[in-house]
Amino acid sequence: MNARQLAFLALKQIDRQSAYTDVVLDRTLRQQKSLKPEDRGLFTELVYGIVRRQRSLDALIDQLGKKKARQQPPDLRLILQIGLYQLRYLDHIPPSAAVNTTVELAKTNSFKHLSGVVNGILRQYERLAQEGDPLKLPRDPIPRLGLLHSFPDWIIQLWWEEWGEEETEKLCIWFNKTPYLDLRINPLQTTREAVQEALNAQSLNVYALSGLPQGLRVEGKTGPIALLPGYGEGWWTVQDGSAQLVAHLLDPQPGEVVIDACAAPGGKTTHIAELMGDRGEIWACDRALKRLNHITGNQQRLKLHNIQTCGGDSRQFEQFIGKGDRVLLDAPCSGLGTLHRHPDIRWRQTPEKLAELVQLQRELLNHTATWVKPGGCLVYSTCTLNPQENEALVQDFLATHPQWHLQPPPPNFPVQNPAGWVKILPTKQDMDGFFMAKLVLEQ
Ligand SMILES: C[S@@+](CC[C@H](N)C(=O)[O-])C[C@H]1O[C@@H](n2cnc3c(N)ncnc32)[C@H](O)[C@@H]1O
């Protein structure tokens, strides 16, 4: 099967069955083992890109077609999106190839009678593109940015209020790029230089992430992650640079008791274990039991031994009260700092869901704070760019818990903020958007 037909089938599952983009993508690539590397690349680009750019692509269909995108037969709308995406966003595909393959796609998927319509819309796009941008934008600046960069208006509004127009547009552009692949090397098994060398030997361009002693960034197409050198040997874990900062802020020490309240699939738990030199007691809790099992697998692969798992709702666990030297609450959040990795989040999240998340985060923070020993600490972190889930929540906690205070990161920490918490803005630090705050309980 060719890449475009596969993309069409994958997009159908995402559209109709509300399946997660990364899940459908991984499953398809696993099933299509004989797909050539360049077809894997095109397939991945089409699926991720079209999910991301849905709003702009539909606006083009609305403007160029006789029928609006929502009134088109759903499969035809996807086919038009596949064609328009290639014309608008892919430089390496000649326009004639984009048009012809899309017309073919229509014919082989029961739209022979409408192949002329497909051809007409795509050629009209091409004609208009000679004179300027065929996408007509509204005057109102919020929907203008939303339509141009394909984000819902409420996300634009949220960022605009905090950072203004220019930064919001930069964020939109950043989140529409293909994400980097960052690795965290396991210092108990290897060195950063050894991993760098092994990956260089596969013709991959790899460089060290500054300020992150275990961090590497890999450029270019890697193919399946598990086939990269050192994966099976437990030399490294895939983890974005900003996520690596969380365990450094927690700063766990060998021999301590550390409790990770929302741990699955264990990216940060295993980092904590590495920083503790695999000495001490780590409890990894999560209510997603299947995901919690991944921690056990990861622990084995990384040759770590001191992590124990505990399945269930962390708001209910009484057994940890007063036990933790350090607690990590890497809270469930709206994920607005990872929109480039999870292109469907922008369409799945709503302001109402965000409000529900804040309530859950508050309950988790209030309860897991009771797990901390006097003199101990708790790191609260999220991968979102939404003040209600971040600084507002922490400020609220501090206002109602006078025996706690905010501890700023040490001077050598790579990201600083005068307020005392850590906020990673992708456009400044070139990493996923993140928030983290270290809270300390009085002796
Ligand atoms: C941001 S993810 C954690 C990622 C993880 N710390 C890592 O680095 O790999 C948030 C996790 O919170 C879990 N979660 C949500 N509500 C929970 C609750 N009430 N109790 C325990 N875990 C919960 C979710 O299942 C999810 O795995």
Side-chain angles (χ1 to χ4, degrees):
M1 216 183 282
N2 70 58
R4 292 174 179 88
Q5 178 68 19
L6 277 178
F8 169 66
L9 296 176
L11 288 164
K12 255 170 92 151
Q13 291 176 52
I14 294 163
D15 194 44
R16 235 82 17 104
Q17 297 159 21
S18 294
Y20 284 98
T21 307
D22 47 356
V23 172
V24 174
L25 216 103
D26 285 351
R27 191 170 48 221
T28 310
L29 288 174
R30 251 183 287 122
Q31 286 164 353
Q32 301 289 328
K33 288 215 167 58
S34 57
L35 208 62
K36 286 191 260 149
E38 59 269 29
D39 285 335
R40 294 175 83 87
L42 178 59
F43 164 73
T44 307
E45 166 73 61
L46 286 174
V47 175
Y48 268 117
I50 289 165
V51 173
R52 250 183 229 132
R53 303 282 189 170
Q54 238 166 60
R55 186 173 180 194
S56 310
L57 293 169
D58 276 350
L60 280 170
I61 299 173
D62 289 351
Q63 292 169 16
L64 299 170
K66 285 215 175 82
K67 279 189 186 168
K68 299 258 185 228
R70 285 190 185 284
Q71 292 156 352
Q72 301 280 357
D75 284 1
L76 189 70
R77 175 180 172 188
L78 288 179
I79 290 168
L80 286 168
Q81 288 177 348
I82 293 172
L84 287 167
Y85 181 80
Q86 294 170 74
L87 288 177
R88 187 170 176 82
Y89 300 108
L90 296 187
D91 295 337
H92 62 283
I93 303 213
S96 57
V99 176
N100 295 341
T101 53
T102 310
V103 169
E104 245 352 270
L105 205 57
K107 286 185 185 160
T108 47
N109 290 284
S110 319
F111 291 104
K112 194 160 185 229
H113 58 299
L114 292 175
S115 58
V117 173
V118 172
N119 188 47
I121 289 179
L122 298 187
R123 293 213 181 275
Q124 173 69 349
Y125 179 90
E126 264 309 282
R127 258 192 304 278
L128 292 173
Q130 313 288 321
E131 292 146 27
D133 188 351
L135 180 63
K136 292 190 213 100
L137 298 174
R139 282 244 180 94
D140 188 343
I142 302 272
R144 189 187 70 76
L145 277 190
L147 209 71
L148 180 62
H149 297 295
S150 195
F151 284 81
D153 288 351
W154 69 266
I155 295 186
I156 304 283
Q157 178 89 43
L158 187 78
W159 292 344
W160 190 299
E161 278 164 17
E162 186 165 5
W163 291 295
E165 179 175 5
E166 204 179 315
E167 196 58 46
T168 299
E169 181 151 31
K170 281 189 194 159
L171 279 169
C172 292
I173 293 168
W174 198 91
F175 282 124
N176 280 340
K177 286 195 303 194
T178 304
Y180 299 115
L181 175 70
D182 288 354
L183 306 181
R184 184 193 81 227
I185 67 104
N186 177 0
L188 307 181
Q189 297 301 326
T190 186
T191 61
R192 183 151 74 168
E193 293 67 31
V195 174
Q196 204 166 354
E197 225 170 85
L199 293 169
N200 282 338
Q202 305 265 310
S203 307
L204 288 166
N205 192 15
V206 184
Y207 58 93
L209 284 170
S210 81
L212 288 163
Q214 295 162 259
L216 283 177
R217 182 158 287 178
V218 185
E219 285 184 338
K221 295 206 168 27
T222 56
I225 297 294
L227 299 183
L228 289 175
Y231 177 81
E233 292 80 2
W235 287 1
W236 49 264
T237 298
V238 172
Q239 189 178 48
D240 186 76
S242 39
Q244 294 182 35
L245 283 173
V246 176
H248 287 296
L249 186 65
L250 187 70
D251 194 24
Q253 301 299 313
E256 286 184 336
V257 176
V258 179
I259 315 166
D260 189 347
C262 291
K268 299 183 190 70
T269 324
T270 50
H271 193 194
I272 291 167
E274 289 164 6
L275 294 179
M276 289 167 74
D278 207 21
R279 281 175 289 142
E281 191 179 323
I282 301 177
W283 287 94
C285 315
D286 206 286
R287 70 173 172 191
L289 302 184
K290 222 167 134 192
R291 274 156 57 85
L292 195 61
N293 283 337
H294 290 306
I295 299 188
T296 314
N298 280 330
Q299 163 157 247
Q300 282 163 3
R301 186 179 65 81
L302 295 165
K303 303 183 178 73
L304 297 166
H305 306 92
N306 63 347
I307 302 169
Q308 303 180 69
T309 58
C310 185
D313 190 327
S314 287
R315 290 170 297 179
Q316 311 293 334
F317 294 145
E318 304 285 326
Q319 66 271 38
F320 297 126
I321 293 176
K323 294 272 161 49
D325 292 297
R326 292 169 207 257
V327 170
L328 172 61
L329 174 55
D330 186 36
C333 71
S334 55
L336 301 187
T338 61
L339 293 171
H340 53 327
R341 296 186 192 284
H342 306 289
D344 32 22
I345 289 183
R346 66 184 81 179
W347 312 123
R348 284 179 193 274
Q349 285 300 358
T350 60
E352 294 71 36
K353 285 190 190 164
L354 262 57
E356 281 169 27
L357 275 169
V358 172
Q359 181 57 24
L360 172 61
Q361 290 156 349
R362 183 173 298 120
E363 288 171 12
L364 279 165
L365 180 55
N366 286 342
H367 186 67
T368 56
T370 66
W371 297 354
V372 179
K373 281 180 190 168
C377 69
L378 180 149
V379 166
Y380 174 82
S381 62
T382 73
C383 60
T384 199
L385 298 174
N386 169 23
Q388 293 308 313
E389 297 174 69
N390 297 337
E391 43 273 57
L393 197 100
V394 166
Q395 274 164 333
D396 222 38
F397 176 83
L398 290 170
T400 48
H401 294 75
Q403 65 283 40
W404 287 81
H405 70 268
L406 181 69
Q407 189 176 83
N412 63 348
F413 204 76
V415 186
Q416 300 284 339
N417 185 305
W421 42 60
V422 177
K423 251 176 107 163
I424 315 257
L425 195 60
T427 46
K428 297 263 176 328
Q429 277 87 24
D430 211 17
M431 301 193 279
D432 288 4
F434 243 90
F435 175 86
M436 44 201 107
K438 187 172 193 171
L439 306 166
V440 176
L441 177 60
E442 275 172 13
Q443 278 287 357

